Amino acid sequence: MKYVRLAIDFSEQFIHPVHQRIVEHDGLSRDRLLYGTRTTGPDTFLFAVEGDRQLYEQALEDVPEISFYELSNPDTTSSPGTFFAYIEQEPITPDEQLFAVFERTGVIVVPPVDFCTDGAARMTMVGRAERLQTTINHLPEEMNVTIEQVGNYERLRGGFGPALTDRQYDAIKKANACGYFDVPRSGSIDDVAERLDCATGTASEHLRKAQRELTEWLVNTTWR
């Protein structure tokens, strides 16, 4: 099976009002869709949100299609604080058009879906190569699509594990093998770079990004 990691930029008419608020305000840094269900009534969603809880709640209040929501208390041990949002929303045309494409082509969208401050929604789709391409081709023209990663889907990703790229995973694996994470450390970043066959700065960047993704996944999916 194949996967593709997409960044979808929405036109001004297609971006969700809550996502637009994230783009416009520094107090909200990310809205991560963990799960969603379409029903004969309102669609239901569970988000993990980074940022100002009050600002996010006001954004929800300003969307008439949102008929109900409930927010958890924020985690004050992290900055920005993380909290969860359960939302019931009546169908919105852009969302329905997007869902319809996924249903028609039969691809699977693997959570999470990240709604980022640059205005893009980043998601991973899994399925047959030809169906993934068909899905991309049939997305509404109001959505500008950038393919960020493609490959074979061979290990846990997204909602079941941290969404590491192949290169980030390889960096973590080789760093662990050479003793970079040992206490005390027995391998250096130069050793990691040699095993990755890349520059030291590049190896360091892969590790930093991988460690950030691992940390975020652990914080957002573990209850303490």
Side-chain angles (χ1 to χ4, degrees):
M1 74 196 86
K2 301 293 184 180
Y3 83 92
V4 59
R5 181 73 174 170
L6 302 178
I8 300 178
D9 288 293
F10 302 94
S11 68
E12 184 177 345
Q13 294 76 22
F14 258 58
I15 192 169
H16 192 283
V18 176
H19 191 189
Q20 183 64 44
R21 194 70 62 89
I22 293 171
V23 173
E24 295 172 347
H25 292 275
D26 293 337
L28 295 169
S29 56
R30 183 160 62 175
D31 199 12
R32 170 169 280 190
L33 176 61
L34 303 178
Y35 302 101
T37 302
R38 298 182 71 196
T39 68
T40 55
D43 298 331
T44 56
F45 304 99
L46 178 65
F47 289 89
V49 186
E50 293 179 5
D52 187 301
R53 184 179 183 273
Q54 185 175 359
L55 186 59
Y56 188 81
E57 183 170 11
Q58 184 57 58
L60 298 179
E61 288 284 348
D62 292 340
V63 180
E65 290 85 359
I66 294 178
S67 56
F68 177 84
Y69 65 85
E70 189 170 351
L71 307 181
S72 71
N73 292 324
D75 176 9
T76 57
T77 63
S78 61
S79 180
T82 301
F83 57 93
F84 294 95
Y86 168 83
I87 297 171
E88 295 180 4
Q89 176 185 275
E90 298 297 333
I92 293 179
T93 298
D95 290 352
E96 295 303 302
Q97 291 184 7
L98 190 58
F99 296 152
V101 175
F102 298 145
E103 292 175 354
R104 187 165 62 248
T105 58
V107 300
I108 297 172
V109 177
V110 181
V113 177
D114 287 325
F115 295 89
C116 307
T117 56
D118 62 0
R122 289 179 167 81
M123 65 181 66
T124 299
M125 300 190 305
V126 173
R128 300 183 188 180
E130 63 271 18
R131 291 187 177 182
L132 293 171
Q133 187 60 58
T134 298
T135 301
I136 294 170
N137 293 342
H138 286 81
L139 290 173
E141 61 182 13
E142 293 86 355
M143 301 178 185
N144 182 41
V145 178
T146 301
I147 298 176
E148 296 187 334
Q149 302 164 26
V150 294
N152 294 317
Y153 195 81
E154 297 176 336
R155 61 177 178 274
L156 298 178
R157 293 175 180 270
F160 306 101
L164 300 179
T165 67
D166 291 338
R167 196 61 168 160
Q168 289 166 1
Y169 178 83
D170 200 30
I172 288 287
K173 186 176 180 179
K174 286 182 167 58
N176 186 61
C178 75
Y180 183 79
F181 297 120
D182 289 353
V183 180
R185 180 171 291 170
S186 58
S188 68
I189 190 63
D190 290 330
D191 296 326
V192 179
E194 182 178 354
R195 293 186 179 217
L196 289 173
D197 192 24
C198 67
T200 301
T202 303
S204 179
E205 182 179 3
H206 287 320
L207 281 178
R208 286 198 305 272
K209 289 182 177 179
Q211 288 172 302
R212 181 180 187 276
E213 187 64 41
L214 285 165
T215 301
E216 286 190 351
W217 175 79
L218 178 65
V219 169
N220 288 333
T221 60
T222 304
W223 292 90
R224 289 279 187 177

